[in-house]
Amino acid sequence: IHSLKGIKMLFERVENLFLEELNAVQDIFYRLNLKGFPYLKHLSIVNNSTIESLIHPKDREQSQHPEKAFPKLESLCLNNLKKIVNICSCKLSEPSFGKLKVIKINLCGQLKSVFLISVVSLLSVLETIEVLECNSLKEIVQVETQSTGEVKLMFPELRSLKLQFLSQFVGFYPIPSRKQKELFNEKV
């Protein structure tokens, strides 16, 4: 379905999208929609062995401009994605993920981290992070090697954090533990 232009046009206005066993697709953003899913509010992807990333610009000419993706997305659920390595591997700009409140990830065995540090500032309304049984997950927030300067890492609306059965988990974010308390407010 990802090769048909008419199908991609249908995806432009969709608000709820459930994808299961979508074969031969490694990247949701570029393969299914080229306009950033401007109306999508709820995305669930389950039982897939080919998706490597939600947003990965390798199939398109990489511009120097950050991408705008999923501006109205409120919930993201990823379950049993065998090859997903990351959610996003490029820079994003506002309003990308600006309305995301809930992210739930389960049985994603190759996932190393959930967010790039450059994406964290866009997650101002994120309330729930749930990551279960992801055997390769080392950290929630990954610092990019080309990252310059210090980025303020805050999740001001985070109310619920559930991390369970993560055998390789090292920490939330690779900073000294004395600074960890700054990540959360008393509501978590």
Side-chain angles (χ1 to χ4, degrees), residues 13 27 29 56 104 131 142 180 185:
R13 300 203 54 85
D27 170 296
F29 184 73
H56 185 68
K104 293 184 177 185
V131 186
Q142 175 189 358
Q180 288 285 355
N185 58 36

Side-chain angles (χ1 to χ4, degrees), residues 92-160:
L92 299 177
S93 65
E94 290 182 358
S96 301
F97 291 112
K99 296 194 183 285
L100 187 65
K101 291 181 180 183
V102 176
I103 183 163
K104 293 184 177 185
I105 303 171
N106 186 32
L107 293 170
C108 294
Q110 299 299 313
L111 189 68
K112 305 273 189 235
S113 64
V114 179
F115 307 112
L116 294 175
I117 196 163
S118 60
V119 174
V120 170
S121 63
L122 303 172
L123 304 170
S124 60
V125 298
L126 187 65
E127 296 175 358
T128 302
I129 300 172
E130 184 176 297
V131 186
L132 311 172
E133 298 188 57
C134 295
N135 296 330
S136 295
L137 190 85
K138 293 186 183 225
E139 56 203 7
I140 300 299
V141 178
Q142 175 189 358
V143 177
E144 297 106 318
T145 54
Q146 69 273 18
S147 178
T148 57
E150 189 172 319
V151 177
K152 184 85 169 161
L153 186 64
M154 294 285 292
F155 291 95
E157 298 298 321
L158 192 65
R159 304 287 186 267
S160 175

Side-chain angles (χ1 to χ4, degrees), residues 77-96:
C77 298
L78 307 174
N79 188 23
N80 197 24
L81 305 184
K82 293 178 178 20
K83 287 192 177 178
I84 193 162
V85 175
N86 57 42
I87 291 173
C88 172
S89 63
C90 62
K91 291 191 180 203
L92 299 177
S93 65
E94 290 182 358
S96 301

